[in-house]
Amino acid sequence: MQLSFSPWFHFQLQIYYEDTDFSGVVYHPNFLKYFERAREQVIGANELKRLWHSDGIGFAVYRSELTCQEGVEFADILDVRTRFAFESKYRTVWEQEIWRENAVRAAVNGRVEMVCMNSQRQLCPMPATLLEQLAAQLQQIEFP
């Protein structure tokens, strides 16, 4: 099945010393944290909080892939690029890239699949309000 992805969203991020190992290179699990922050920016922290407190709905990582193509270092300013597609009413697929300034290719590529779950940790469909919000924001998305 061919997915219809949103346009790219951009989230700037500075690398702090605490993000790195002894050599000043980012410790690889931190890339997953940066991807998480960027996804939160797309949906919105207030919306995620409302969904959990009002509807008892949240999201969990179902699958993730990470490819590190070059090092990212202390003091770098990064552009975390994020786009998503709806695979079903239960699952979203997020393609994400981390770019250093003036780079010719992404330093890190990732793909994260998220599923919607209720407070009993059971799979549930994404609420219509969220789908409508994202569709209105991104008018190019086709829902399966």
Side-chain angles (χ1 to χ4, degrees):
M1 172 172 73
Q2 182 70 22
L3 298 177
S4 296
F5 279 90
S6 70
W8 288 100
F9 290 85
H10 297 269
F11 173 66
Q12 280 206 319
L13 176 76
Q14 178 181 335
I15 299 301
Y16 294 97
Y17 190 73
E18 68 185 22
D19 296 320
T20 66
D21 61 17
F22 70 94
S23 68
V25 175
V26 170
Y27 183 53
H28 68 279
N30 287 335
F31 295 129
L32 294 172
K33 291 191 320 186
Y34 306 153
F35 286 161
E36 181 84 24
R37 290 178 196 169
R39 289 192 307 272
E40 183 178 311
Q41 291 294 312
V42 172
I43 296 174
N46 288 334
E47 178 63 9
L48 289 167
K49 183 177 177 179
R50 186 198 68 73
L51 285 168
W52 181 251
H53 291 291
S54 298
D55 302 340
I57 292 175
F59 297 90
V61 172
Y62 171 73
R63 177 181 300 154
S64 65
E65 299 172 14
L66 188 66
T67 304
C68 301
Q69 301 184 119
E70 65 180 57
V72 174
E73 300 175 353
F74 169 63
D76 280 348
I77 304 296
L78 306 177
D79 179 22
V80 183
R81 300 176 186 180
T82 302
R83 66 184 188 163
F84 69 91
F86 294 99
E87 187 173 72
S88 73
K89 61 184 176 180
Y90 302 95
R91 186 186 323 210
T92 54
V93 176
W94 300 78
E95 290 185 347
Q96 296 184 275
E97 300 176 344
I98 294 176
W99 287 75
R100 297 173 80 182
E101 287 182 314
N102 303 315
V104 295
R105 70 175 183 164
V108 180
N109 293 307
R111 181 179 174 101
V112 178
E113 296 179 25
M114 304 289 294
V115 293
C116 189
M117 300 183 81
N118 63 25
S119 58
Q120 291 79 40
R121 296 187 179 109
Q122 297 171 325
L123 196 61
C124 68
M126 286 178 269
T129 55
L130 177 62
L131 293 173
E132 290 167 6
Q133 170 196 337
L134 293 173
Q137 188 178 3
L138 305 172
Q139 298 177 2
Q140 300 174 349
I141 298 296
E142 297 175 18
F143 296 96

